[in-house]
Amino acid sequence: MIKKFLLLITFFTTKLIFGQNEVLDKYPYGQDFYAGGLNQLNKEMVKIVKEQKFLPCEKTEEQYNVQILVRENSTISYVKDFDTVNIQKNKCAFDFSRKIIPHLKRWMPAKVNGKFIGAIARIEINPFYLVNSKDDPSKNEKKNPTFKKGIKAFGFEIKSIFERYVKKNEDKRAWLTFVVNENGEMEDLKIEGDFSDYEKKDIINSLYRIKGKWNPATFNNIPIRAKISQPILQQFDLQVELENQNKMMDQNFQNNRYR
């Protein structure tokens, strides 16, 4: 009874706070938080970055998702981010967001039942993207990494390596992730799933020995790091296995019959 009572108090307190401030935790479906929509917002951010000559972060993949409270009168304030670990990890992008947001002036409040109301907008700030973007971000060109010998050749290498650690009559599920860096080299290989730590380490060592390089991913012809994820699945099908055994037995019977 005490636990239920405490839960009810928490629920009504949260509801009261939102009721007093009239703030939505996200915008209603189909409504824009910036005049002209997301593409116009990106255009303005790119223009500001170039005019102010903001510099990109050292790590091209660094980004930060900033939360902005857009009030009913179109004024804004930052929503406090309690994830200090993520902020520290993306400190450059965090600081970049604090420099660019004050230059944006065309915020639009949410609207519910014909009434303007405060709501939280979420914006991804990627310094590398903004600094190297074309004036119209919709015309940016991004290409994925490609294995120089062809993706089929890479798939064959992956298959042959993993098969060494899979018995015929067992299921194995795993997830392989790695990064292709700006130089077309694989790094940060990780395996999660149905393999022992020893097997994972051994597999990763074998993967690093795959011959051949990658063409790195590019953003407007600039080489960038790209993360690749690949599911690995071997599913033992008992019915198929029994059928294969029966075929082998029939074949052996036929072979022995005419000896």
Side-chain angles (χ1 to χ4, degrees), residues 179-196:
V179 170
V180 176
N181 66 23
E182 299 91 331
N183 299 317
E185 301 164 338
M186 290 195 305
E187 58 183 44
D188 297 338
L189 275 82
K190 296 178 182 176
I191 298 172
E192 295 185 5
D194 299 333
F195 292 92
S196 68

Side-chain angles (χ1 to χ4, degrees), residues 99-194:
K99 290 191 292 185
I100 195 173
I101 294 297
H103 292 276
L104 300 169
K105 305 296 183 183
R106 304 172 65 195
W107 303 98
M108 297 175 62
K111 203 170 189 179
V112 177
N113 297 326
K115 179 183 176 182
F116 290 120
I117 186 172
I120 296 175
R122 293 168 175 83
I123 309 166
E124 181 181 282
I125 301 296
N126 185 323
F128 176 86
Y129 169 91
L130 293 171
V131 171
N132 296 288
S133 174
K134 295 183 178 180
D135 291 341
D136 183 354
S138 65
K139 295 181 180 179
N140 287 329
E141 297 177 357
K142 185 173 181 180
K143 295 182 180 179
N144 294 323
T146 56
F147 192 60
K148 289 187 176 182
K149 293 182 179 180
I151 196 62
K152 286 186 177 180
F154 183 73
F156 177 80
E157 295 275 9
I158 294 289
K159 182 173 180 290
S160 62
I161 290 172
F162 273 90
E163 281 182 344
R164 300 174 200 164
Y165 303 88
V166 179
K167 296 178 181 178
K168 190 176 182 181
N169 62 342
E170 66 180 356
D171 293 346
K172 285 284 191 180
R173 291 176 175 82
W175 196 266
L176 168 66
T177 61
F178 60 93
V179 170
V180 176
N181 66 23
E182 299 91 331
N183 299 317
E185 301 164 338
M186 290 195 305
E187 58 183 44
D188 297 338
L189 275 82
K190 296 178 182 176
I191 298 172
E192 295 185 5
D194 299 333

Side-chain angles (χ1 to χ4, degrees), residues 8-22:
L8 285 171
I9 289 178
T10 302
F11 171 77
F12 284 121
T13 301
T14 304
K15 185 176 180 181
L16 181 61
I17 291 173
F18 277 100
Q20 287 175 342
N21 293 294
E22 294 187 300

